[in-house]
Amino acid sequence: AEGSSAVMTITTTRAFAAAAAAAAALMLVALPGAQALALGGMSSLPGVGSRALASRARPAVACGAGFGSGGAQAAKKGPKRAPLKPKRQWDRYADMTKKGDAPTFEVAARKDADSPWLSVGRVAVDGGEANAAAAAARQRALIAEHGKRLHLALKAVGKAPVQVGVRRVDGADFVLAGKAEDTLSDDVELGFEGVADAASGYYCHYQNGRVVASASASAGDDVEQPTASAPPEATS
């Protein structure tokens, strides 16, 4: 009787060990990340060798750092836009206004929200008022540069950015045009004409050999006119 009991105990122990090993192997298959930690300990169980466990293991997949960032899934930035040229945008403005089908909008610049708006010029854009702020934002570099050329208050800020605003009619409030408003695609036609600056030659019209201001780029009565100009520069 004692012999039979011992045999039954050994058989039960082996059966239990085999069942535990099989369950552990299935768990490793479902959770490949735990294989490296578990293989060493499981290989010592009766009837389960390291080769048997390794043969059932699936290779772990390497993951990049972060929450899904990197690789082909990372957002790719589009090509950087080429900077607009003053002469080219002035020519576009002239062509659009000659056709008579493109409305124009006054643009101004200021140092910050506590500073007055200073007259800079006008922009023209296809699509009318809905695209006015975007047209000013797209050409903000030209507007800011010319504003610093015209006004000592803007020139004093140096390379620091200035605020650019746009409005449809004289007396209306300017709408701030920031980088976020630059939403126009490259196929939308737009142009810019600045207030004539005789000292630099920018945006100047000539009559009888004399420089005259552009009537289309004149400012409203409530906006400060140019008070100073920078040294002469090339217009190309």
Side-chain angles (χ1 to χ4, degrees):
E2 293 180 357
S4 299
S5 177
V7 172
M8 291 179 62
T9 300
I10 294 173
T11 302
T12 302
T13 300
R14 289 180 176 177
F16 177 78
L26 291 175
M27 181 181 68
L28 290 175
V29 171
L31 301 173
Q35 293 171 6
L37 294 177
L39 284 176
M42 291 300 298
S43 62
S44 61
L45 293 176
V48 181
S50 59
R51 291 184 179 180
L53 288 175
S55 64
R56 298 186 182 186
R58 293 187 302 177
V61 179
C63 298
F67 296 90
S69 62
Q73 297 180 354
K76 295 182 178 180
K77 295 183 179 180
K80 186 177 181 180
R81 285 177 167 177
L84 299 176
K85 301 295 184 180
K87 183 63 167 60
R88 183 177 182 183
Q89 293 309 111
W90 189 20
D91 289 342
R92 286 183 174 180
Y93 180 94
D95 291 341
M96 295 174 70
T97 52
K98 285 179 181 178
K99 296 176 183 178
D101 56 354
T104 64
F105 307 89
E106 184 182 358
V107 289
R110 65 185 182 183
K111 179 181 177 181
D112 50 41
D114 297 326
S115 303
W117 287 108
L118 304 174
S119 173
V120 178
R122 301 189 75 87
V123 296
V125 61
D126 287 338
E129 191 168 358
N131 289 335
R138 180 73 181 93
Q139 301 175 105
R140 62 176 290 107
L142 298 181
I143 298 169
E145 180 184 25
H146 192 53
K148 293 179 181 181
R149 187 180 295 121
L150 292 170
H151 302 282
L152 287 175
L154 298 178
K155 183 179 180 181
V157 305
K159 295 183 178 180
V162 299
Q163 294 182 351
V164 171
V166 59
R167 67 180 180 180
R168 178 63 187 270
V169 296
D170 294 347
D173 293 333
F174 281 95
V175 176
L176 194 64
K179 293 182 178 180
E181 283 71 37
D182 184 4
T183 56
L184 291 181
S185 60
D186 292 334
D187 59 350
V188 176
E189 191 173 5
L190 69 161
F192 166 66
E193 179 178 64
V195 174
D197 178 35
S200 67
Y202 272 82
Y203 307 106
C204 289
H205 293 266
Y206 293 85
Q207 183 176 0
N208 298 327
R210 298 181 61 183
V211 175
V212 295
S214 169
S216 62
S218 60
D221 295 336
D222 60 327
V223 181
E224 293 190 21
Q225 300 290 333
T227 56
S229 300
E233 301 178 44
T235 58
S236 59

Tab-separated table of all heavy atoms in Angstrom, residues 168-225:
chain	number	residue	atom	x	y	z
A	168	ARG	N	-9.927	96.782	-44.479
A	168	ARG	CA	-10.528	97.007	-45.800
A	168	ARG	C	-10.739	98.489	-46.085
A	168	ARG	O	-10.468	98.969	-47.179
A	168	ARG	CB	-11.867	96.264	-45.884
A	168	ARG	CG	-12.602	96.470	-47.209
A	168	ARG	CD	-11.810	95.925	-48.380
A	168	ARG	NE	-12.383	96.247	-49.667
A	168	ARG	CZ	-13.273	95.498	-50.298
A	168	ARG	NH1	-13.706	94.389	-49.731
A	168	ARG	NH2	-13.729	95.841	-51.484
A	169	VAL	N	-11.232	99.244	-45.128
A	169	VAL	CA	-11.557	100.644	-45.373
A	169	VAL	C	-10.923	101.525	-44.306
A	169	VAL	O	-10.615	101.077	-43.199
A	169	VAL	CB	-13.089	100.861	-45.384
A	169	VAL	CG1	-13.725	100.105	-46.534
A	169	VAL	CG2	-13.708	100.435	-44.071
A	170	ASP	N	-10.739	102.804	-44.647
A	170	ASP	CA	-10.189	103.756	-43.693
A	170	ASP	C	-11.123	103.894	-42.491
A	170	ASP	O	-12.347	103.922	-42.638
A	170	ASP	CB	-10.016	105.128	-44.359
A	170	ASP	CG	-8.978	105.097	-45.463
A	170	ASP	OD1	-8.245	104.106	-45.542
A	170	ASP	OD2	-8.924	106.069	-46.244
A	171	GLY	N	-10.524	103.981	-41.313
A	171	GLY	CA	-11.306	104.151	-40.106
A	171	GLY	C	-11.666	102.850	-39.416
A	171	GLY	O	-12.040	102.861	-38.237
A	172	ALA	N	-11.594	101.738	-40.125
A	172	ALA	CA	-11.903	100.446	-39.509
A	172	ALA	C	-10.725	99.987	-38.650
A	172	ALA	O	-9.597	100.473	-38.785
A	172	ALA	CB	-12.210	99.413	-40.584
A	173	ASP	N	-10.984	99.067	-37.758
A	173	ASP	CA	-9.913	98.515	-36.935
A	173	ASP	C	-9.051	97.574	-37.768
A	173	ASP	O	-9.552	96.833	-38.625
A	173	ASP	CB	-10.490	97.745	-35.746
A	173	ASP	CG	-11.194	98.656	-34.759
A	173	ASP	OD1	-10.825	99.848	-34.683
A	173	ASP	OD2	-12.123	98.184	-34.067
A	174	PHE	N	-7.763	97.590	-37.489
A	174	PHE	CA	-6.866	96.663	-38.161
A	174	PHE	C	-7.028	95.262	-37.571
A	174	PHE	O	-7.190	95.099	-36.362
A	174	PHE	CB	-5.409	97.109	-38.007
A	174	PHE	CG	-5.021	98.216	-38.942
A	174	PHE	CD1	-5.081	99.543	-38.537
A	174	PHE	CD2	-4.612	97.939	-40.240
A	174	PHE	CE1	-4.719	100.569	-39.398
A	174	PHE	CE2	-4.248	98.956	-41.109
A	174	PHE	CZ	-4.306	100.278	-40.690
A	175	VAL	N	-6.951	94.281	-38.434
A	175	VAL	CA	-6.973	92.878	-38.021
A	175	VAL	C	-5.531	92.390	-37.998
A	175	VAL	O	-4.813	92.489	-39.009
A	175	VAL	CB	-7.816	92.018	-38.985
A	175	VAL	CG1	-7.731	90.542	-38.592
A	175	VAL	CG2	-9.257	92.492	-38.997
A	176	LEU	N	-5.114	91.879	-36.863
A	176	LEU	CA	-3.738	91.417	-36.721
A	176	LEU	C	-3.498	90.203	-37.615
A	176	LEU	O	-4.278	89.250	-37.620
A	176	LEU	CB	-3.463	91.056	-35.261
A	176	LEU	CG	-1.988	90.864	-34.863
A	176	LEU	CD1	-1.228	92.172	-35.022
A	176	LEU	CD2	-1.901	90.384	-33.423
A	177	ALA	N	-2.436	90.233	-38.374
A	177	ALA	CA	-2.072	89.135	-39.273
A	177	ALA	C	-0.777	88.506	-38.774
A	177	ALA	O	0.304	89.081	-38.953
A	177	ALA	CB	-1.905	89.640	-40.701
A	178	GLY	N	-0.893	87.373	-38.146
A	178	GLY	CA	0.272	86.676	-37.626
A	178	GLY	C	0.657	85.505	-38.505
A	178	GLY	O	0.059	85.261	-39.564
A	179	LYS	N	1.653	84.740	-38.065
A	179	LYS	CA	2.115	83.594	-38.841
A	179	LYS	C	1.026	82.542	-38.984
A	179	LYS	O	0.965	81.838	-39.988
A	179	LYS	CB	3.356	82.991	-38.181
A	179	LYS	CG	4.577	83.888	-38.226
A	179	LYS	CD	5.785	83.210	-37.607
A	179	LYS	CE	7.016	84.095	-37.690
A	179	LYS	NZ	8.218	83.439	-37.095
A	180	ALA	N	0.164	82.427	-37.982
A	180	ALA	CA	-0.893	81.409	-38.030
A	180	ALA	C	-1.890	81.685	-39.145
A	180	ALA	O	-2.580	80.770	-39.607
A	180	ALA	CB	-1.614	81.339	-36.687
A	181	GLU	N	-1.981	82.945	-39.592
A	181	GLU	CA	-2.934	83.302	-40.642
A	181	GLU	C	-2.393	83.036	-42.046
A	181	GLU	O	-3.103	83.225	-43.032
A	181	GLU	CB	-3.332	84.775	-40.521
A	181	GLU	CG	-4.330	85.073	-39.418
A	181	GLU	CD	-3.709	84.952	-38.032
A	181	GLU	OE1	-2.529	85.324	-37.856
A	181	GLU	OE2	-4.390	84.454	-37.125
A	182	ASP	N	-1.136	82.622	-42.154
A	182	ASP	CA	-0.532	82.351	-43.453
A	182	ASP	C	-1.037	81.005	-43.969
A	182	ASP	O	-0.357	79.976	-43.879
A	182	ASP	CB	1.002	82.350	-43.339
A	182	ASP	CG	1.675	82.174	-44.698
A	182	ASP	OD1	0.965	82.124	-45.718
A	182	ASP	OD2	2.912	82.084	-44.727
A	183	THR	N	-2.262	81.025	-44.503
A	183	THR	CA	-2.910	79.777	-44.915
A	183	THR	C	-3.125	79.687	-46.423
A	183	THR	O	-3.732	78.727	-46.899
A	183	THR	CB	-4.267	79.649	-44.218
A	183	THR	OG1	-5.075	80.804	-44.516
A	183	THR	CG2	-4.099	79.536	-42.709
A	184	LEU	N	-2.662	80.666	-47.168
A	184	LEU	CA	-2.899	80.663	-48.605
A	184	LEU	C	-1.988	79.668	-49.307
A	184	LEU	O	-0.813	79.543	-48.976
A	184	LEU	CB	-2.655	82.061	-49.193
A	184	LEU	CG	-3.650	83.164	-48.805
A	184	LEU	CD1	-3.274	84.460	-49.487
A	184	LEU	CD2	-5.067	82.765	-49.156
A	185	SER	N	-2.541	78.982	-50.279
A	185	SER	CA	-1.722	78.093	-51.108
A	185	SER	C	-0.952	78.931	-52.115
A	185	SER	O	-1.286	80.096	-52.385
A	185	SER	CB	-2.610	77.073	-51.825
A	185	SER	OG	-3.546	77.728	-52.669
A	186	ASP	N	0.062	78.343	-52.702
A	186	ASP	CA	0.942	79.084	-53.604
A	186	ASP	C	0.258	79.486	-54.909
A	186	ASP	O	0.780	80.333	-55.637
A	186	ASP	CB	2.188	78.257	-53.910
A	186	ASP	CG	3.090	78.095	-52.692
A	186	ASP	OD1	3.039	78.981	-51.808
A	186	ASP	OD2	3.827	77.095	-52.624
A	187	ASP	N	-0.888	78.879	-55.223
A	187	ASP	CA	-1.553	79.217	-56.481
A	187	ASP	C	-2.509	80.401	-56.347
A	187	ASP	O	-3.124	80.809	-57.336
A	187	ASP	CB	-2.303	78.003	-57.032
A	187	ASP	CG	-3.344	77.484	-56.046
A	187	ASP	OD1	-3.353	77.937	-54.888
A	187	ASP	OD2	-4.145	76.608	-56.438
A	188	VAL	N	-2.646	80.973	-55.148
A	188	VAL	CA	-3.477	82.169	-54.958
A	188	VAL	C	-2.636	83.395	-55.272
A	188	VAL	O	-1.576	83.613	-54.695
A	188	VAL	CB	-4.018	82.249	-53.517
A	188	VAL	CG1	-4.793	83.551	-53.311
A	188	VAL	CG2	-4.913	81.056	-53.218
A	189	GLU	N	-3.119	84.211	-56.200
A	189	GLU	CA	-2.360	85.390	-56.618
A	189	GLU	C	-2.502	86.510	-55.600
A	189	GLU	O	-3.605	86.814	-55.130
A	189	GLU	CB	-2.842	85.861	-57.991
A	189	GLU	CG	-1.946	86.910	-58.631
A	189	GLU	CD	-2.352	87.222	-60.053
A	189	GLU	OE1	-3.382	86.691	-60.503
A	189	GLU	OE2	-1.624	87.997	-60.713
A	190	LEU	N	-1.387	87.152	-55.262
A	190	LEU	CA	-1.392	88.253	-54.304
A	190	LEU	C	-0.208	89.169	-54.580
A	190	LEU	O	0.770	88.767	-55.204
A	190	LEU	CB	-1.337	87.745	-52.870
A	190	LEU	CG	-0.058	87.081	-52.359
A	190	LEU	CD1	-0.034	87.074	-50.842
A	190	LEU	CD2	0.068	85.650	-52.861
A	191	GLY	N	-0.319	90.406	-54.130
A	191	GLY	CA	0.753	91.362	-54.343
A	191	GLY	C	0.782	92.392	-53.227
A	191	GLY	O	-0.139	92.490	-52.414
A	192	PHE	N	1.859	93.173	-53.205
A	192	PHE	CA	2.035	94.206	-52.180
A	192	PHE	C	2.692	95.424	-52.787
A	192	PHE	O	3.661	95.318	-53.548
A	192	PHE	CB	2.902	93.677	-51.031
A	192	PHE	CG	3.402	94.743	-50.099
A	192	PHE	CD1	2.532	95.466	-49.295
A	192	PHE	CD2	4.756	95.036	-50.032
A	192	PHE	CE1	2.988	96.464	-48.439
A	192	PHE	CE2	5.236	96.033	-49.177
A	192	PHE	CZ	4.346	96.742	-48.384
A	193	GLU	N	2.143	96.596	-52.460
A	193	GLU	CA	2.755	97.853	-52.836
A	193	GLU	C	2.907	98.707	-51.589
A	193	GLU	O	1.934	98.982	-50.879
A	193	GLU	CB	1.898	98.608	-53.862
A	193	GLU	CG	2.503	99.945	-54.266
A	193	GLU	CD	1.665	100.659	-55.312
A	193	GLU	OE1	0.519	101.024	-55.006
A	193	GLU	OE2	2.169	100.830	-56.442
A	194	GLY	N	4.132	99.110	-51.311
A	194	GLY	CA	4.380	99.920	-50.144
A	194	GLY	C	4.210	101.401	-50.407
A	194	GLY	O	4.164	101.846	-51.559
A	195	VAL	N	4.105	102.176	-49.340
A	195	VAL	CA	4.104	103.625	-49.447
A	195	VAL	C	5.439	104.052	-50.055
A	195	VAL	O	6.497	103.560	-49.665
A	195	VAL	CB	3.895	104.271	-48.064
A	195	VAL	CG1	4.052	105.789	-48.136
A	195	VAL	CG2	2.541	103.897	-47.499
A	196	ALA	N	5.381	104.936	-51.026
A	196	ALA	CA	6.604	105.348	-51.726
A	196	ALA	C	7.615	105.950	-50.763
A	196	ALA	O	7.273	106.755	-49.899
A	196	ALA	CB	6.257	106.351	-52.811
A	197	ASP	N	8.862	105.528	-50.914
A	197	ASP	CA	9.951	106.029	-50.068
A	197	ASP	C	11.034	106.595	-50.976
A	197	ASP	O	11.829	105.860	-51.564
A	197	ASP	CB	10.501	104.900	-49.203
A	197	ASP	CG	11.669	105.349	-48.334
A	197	ASP	OD1	11.645	106.517	-47.879
A	197	ASP	OD2	12.603	104.560	-48.132
A	198	ALA	N	11.073	107.911	-51.082
A	198	ALA	CA	12.004	108.559	-52.003
A	198	ALA	C	13.458	108.339	-51.617
A	198	ALA	O	14.338	108.292	-52.480
A	198	ALA	CB	11.702	110.057	-52.066
A	199	ALA	N	13.730	108.206	-50.338
A	199	ALA	CA	15.118	108.044	-49.903
A	199	ALA	C	15.721	106.735	-50.375
A	199	ALA	O	16.907	106.666	-50.698
A	199	ALA	CB	15.194	108.144	-48.382
A	200	SER	N	14.920	105.684	-50.414
A	200	SER	CA	15.436	104.372	-50.821
A	200	SER	C	15.078	104.022	-52.253
A	200	SER	O	15.699	103.155	-52.862
A	200	SER	CB	14.892	103.285	-49.894
A	200	SER	OG	13.484	103.146	-50.058
A	201	GLY	N	14.052	104.675	-52.784
A	201	GLY	CA	13.603	104.358	-54.134
A	201	GLY	C	12.563	103.261	-54.178
A	201	GLY	O	12.059	102.929	-55.252
A	202	TYR	N	12.228	102.684	-53.041
A	202	TYR	CA	11.241	101.605	-53.012
A	202	TYR	C	9.840	102.144	-53.292
A	202	TYR	O	9.429	103.166	-52.722
A	202	TYR	CB	11.254	100.929	-51.650
A	202	TYR	CG	12.246	99.793	-51.532
A	202	TYR	CD1	13.588	100.051	-51.273
A	202	TYR	CD2	11.848	98.475	-51.689
A	202	TYR	CE1	14.502	99.016	-51.163
A	202	TYR	CE2	12.750	97.428	-51.579
A	202	TYR	CZ	14.075	97.704	-51.316
A	202	TYR	OH	14.987	96.692	-51.211
A	203	TYR	N	9.140	101.442	-54.203
A	203	TYR	CA	7.732	101.696	-54.505
A	203	TYR	C	7.494	103.143	-54.966
A	203	TYR	O	6.454	103.730	-54.666
A	203	TYR	CB	6.849	101.372	-53.301
A	203	TYR	CG	7.081	99.982	-52.767
A	203	TYR	CD1	7.775	99.774	-51.582
A	203	TYR	CD2	6.651	98.863	-53.469
A	203	TYR	CE1	8.015	98.498	-51.097
A	203	TYR	CE2	6.880	97.579	-53.003
A	203	TYR	CZ	7.567	97.399	-51.813
A	203	TYR	OH	7.806	96.123	-51.340
A	204	CYS	N	8.444	103.698	-55.674
A	204	CYS	CA	8.324	105.077	-56.153
A	204	CYS	C	7.851	105.108	-57.601
A	204	CYS	O	8.252	104.288	-58.424
A	204	CYS	CB	9.666	105.803	-56.049
A	204	CYS	SG	10.160	106.162	-54.352
A	205	HIS	N	6.999	106.060	-57.888
A	205	HIS	CA	6.581	106.342	-59.259
A	205	HIS	C	7.206	107.674	-59.670
A	205	HIS	O	7.409	108.557	-58.842
A	205	HIS	CB	5.052	106.422	-59.337
A	205	HIS	CG	4.382	105.115	-59.069
A	205	HIS	ND1	4.013	104.246	-60.067
A	205	HIS	CD2	4.015	104.517	-57.894
A	205	HIS	CE1	3.441	103.175	-59.543
A	205	HIS	NE2	3.432	103.321	-58.227
A	206	TYR	N	7.481	107.803	-60.941
A	206	TYR	CA	8.154	108.999	-61.439
A	206	TYR	C	7.253	109.747	-62.420
A	206	TYR	O	6.564	109.141	-63.257
A	206	TYR	CB	9.465	108.619	-62.124
A	206	TYR	CG	10.494	108.055	-61.173
A	206	TYR	CD1	10.499	106.708	-60.837
A	206	TYR	CD2	11.454	108.879	-60.594
A	206	TYR	CE1	11.426	106.191	-59.954
A	206	TYR	CE2	12.395	108.379	-59.717
A	206	TYR	CZ	12.370	107.024	-59.391
A	206	TYR	OH	13.298	106.514	-58.515
A	207	GLN	N	7.248	111.065	-62.298
A	207	GLN	CA	6.497	111.922	-63.202
A	207	GLN	C	7.360	113.138	-63.528
A	207	GLN	O	7.761	113.892	-62.632
A	207	GLN	CB	5.178	112.360	-62.561
A	207	GLN	CG	4.304	113.196	-63.480
A	207	GLN	CD	2.975	113.527	-62.840
A	207	GLN	OE1	2.710	113.135	-61.712
A	207	GLN	NE2	2.134	114.236	-63.574
A	208	ASN	N	7.642	113.295	-64.818
A	208	ASN	CA	8.516	114.382	-65.267
A	208	ASN	C	9.874	114.351	-64.557
A	208	ASN	O	10.426	115.389	-64.187
A	208	ASN	CB	7.839	115.740	-65.030
A	208	ASN	CG	6.548	115.890	-65.820
A	208	ASN	OD1	6.425	115.361	-66.928
A	208	ASN	ND2	5.587	116.598	-65.248
A	209	GLY	N	10.373	113.135	-64.351
A	209	GLY	CA	11.685	112.983	-63.752
A	209	GLY	C	11.715	113.145	-62.248
A	209	GLY	O	12.795	113.114	-61.647
A	210	ARG	N	10.557	113.294	-61.627
A	210	ARG	CA	10.505	113.471	-60.178
A	210	ARG	C	9.744	112.316	-59.541
A	210	ARG	O	8.813	111.752	-60.130
A	210	ARG	CB	9.817	114.791	-59.817
A	210	ARG	CG	10.543	116.016	-60.340
A	210	ARG	CD	9.836	117.284	-59.926
A	210	ARG	NE	9.798	117.404	-58.471
A	210	ARG	CZ	9.180	118.393	-57.826
A	210	ARG	NH1	8.547	119.341	-58.514
A	210	ARG	NH2	9.201	118.443	-56.519
A	211	VAL	N	10.153	111.977	-58.328
A	211	VAL	CA	9.493	110.888	-57.601
A	211	VAL	C	8.177	111.384	-57.033
A	211	VAL	O	8.111	112.453	-56.408
A	211	VAL	CB	10.384	110.374	-56.451
A	211	VAL	CG1	9.647	109.337	-55.635
A	211	VAL	CG2	11.673	109.804	-57.007
A	212	VAL	N	7.119	110.616	-57.272
A	212	VAL	CA	5.811	110.936	-56.701
A	212	VAL	C	5.319	109.726	-55.934
A	212	VAL	O	5.653	108.576	-56.244
A	212	VAL	CB	4.790	111.323	-57.793
A	212	VAL	CG1	5.216	112.611	-58.483
A	212	VAL	CG2	4.627	110.194	-58.801
A	213	ALA	N	4.501	109.954	-54.914
A	213	ALA	CA	3.971	108.844	-54.115
A	213	ALA	C	2.898	108.109	-54.887
A	213	ALA	O	2.230	108.675	-55.760
A	213	ALA	CB	3.402	109.374	-52.799
A	214	SER	N	2.715	106.839	-54.558
A	214	SER	CA	1.685	106.039	-55.184
A	214	SER	C	0.349	106.331	-54.526
A	214	SER	O	0.199	106.227	-53.319
A	214	SER	CB	2.019	104.552	-55.043
A	214	SER	OG	0.907	103.765	-55.415
A	215	ALA	N	-0.641	106.707	-55.335
A	215	ALA	CA	-1.952	107.030	-54.774
A	215	ALA	C	-2.615	105.803	-54.183
A	215	ALA	O	-3.318	105.873	-53.173
A	215	ALA	CB	-2.837	107.629	-55.866
A	216	SER	N	-2.380	104.624	-54.800
A	216	SER	CA	-3.052	103.414	-54.334
A	216	SER	C	-2.542	102.962	-52.983
A	216	SER	O	-3.212	102.227	-52.270
A	216	SER	CB	-2.865	102.283	-55.356
A	216	SER	OG	-1.492	101.979	-55.505
A	217	ALA	N	-1.318	103.365	-52.606
A	217	ALA	CA	-0.751	102.915	-51.341
A	217	ALA	C	-0.841	103.974	-50.253
A	217	ALA	O	-0.212	103.853	-49.221
A	217	ALA	CB	0.706	102.517	-51.540
A	218	SER	N	-1.609	105.028	-50.484
A	218	SER	CA	-1.727	106.076	-49.476
A	218	SER	C	-2.477	105.554	-48.268
A	218	SER	O	-3.316	104.666	-48.363
A	218	SER	CB	-2.456	107.283	-50.057
A	218	SER	OG	-3.757	106.913	-50.485
A	219	ALA	N	-2.174	106.125	-47.112
A	219	ALA	CA	-2.757	105.655	-45.861
A	219	ALA	C	-4.000	106.435	-45.509
A	219	ALA	O	-4.246	107.538	-46.016
A	219	ALA	CB	-1.727	105.794	-44.738
A	220	GLY	N	-4.788	105.874	-44.606
A	220	GLY	CA	-5.949	106.571	-44.089
A	220	GLY	C	-5.533	107.715	-43.187
A	220	GLY	O	-4.400	107.789	-42.717
A	221	ASP	N	-6.467	108.646	-42.953
A	221	ASP	CA	-6.150	109.826	-42.155
A	221	ASP	C	-5.851	109.483	-40.696
A	221	ASP	O	-5.212	110.279	-39.999
A	221	ASP	CB	-7.325	110.814	-42.213
A	221	ASP	CG	-7.531	111.365	-43.618
A	221	ASP	OD1	-6.550	111.364	-44.393
A	221	ASP	OD2	-8.672	111.775	-43.929
A	222	ASP	N	-6.342	108.335	-40.230
A	222	ASP	CA	-6.159	107.987	-38.821
A	222	ASP	C	-4.884	107.192	-38.576
A	222	ASP	O	-4.624	106.755	-37.465
A	222	ASP	CB	-7.357	107.178	-38.323
A	222	ASP	CG	-7.533	105.881	-39.095
A	222	ASP	OD1	-7.215	105.868	-40.295
A	222	ASP	OD2	-7.984	104.887	-38.489
A	223	VAL	N	-4.072	106.979	-39.607
A	223	VAL	CA	-2.842	106.203	-39.478
A	223	VAL	C	-1.663	107.136	-39.680
A	223	VAL	O	-1.661	107.988	-40.574
A	223	VAL	CB	-2.787	105.054	-40.513
A	223	VAL	CG1	-1.516	104.245	-40.331
A	223	VAL	CG2	-4.008	104.166	-40.354
A	224	GLU	N	-0.646	106.977	-38.857
A	224	GLU	CA	0.526	107.838	-38.947
A	224	GLU	C	1.256	107.630	-40.269
A	224	GLU	O	1.462	106.509	-40.724
A	224	GLU	CB	1.488	107.558	-37.774
A	224	GLU	CG	0.921	107.969	-36.424
A	224	GLU	CD	1.966	107.914	-35.328
A	224	GLU	OE1	3.159	107.961	-35.658
A	224	GLU	OE2	1.580	107.807	-34.159
A	225	GLN	N	1.674	108.742	-40.868
A	225	GLN	CA	2.394	108.717	-42.135
A	225	GLN	C	3.882	108.483	-41.878
A	225	GLN	O	4.370	108.652	-40.760
A	225	GLN	CB	2.193	110.049	-42.862
A	225	GLN	CG	0.739	110.367	-43.174
A	225	GLN	CD	0.171	109.465	-44.249
A	225	GLN	OE1	0.911	108.958	-45.087
A	225	GLN	NE2	-1.132	109.263	-44.237
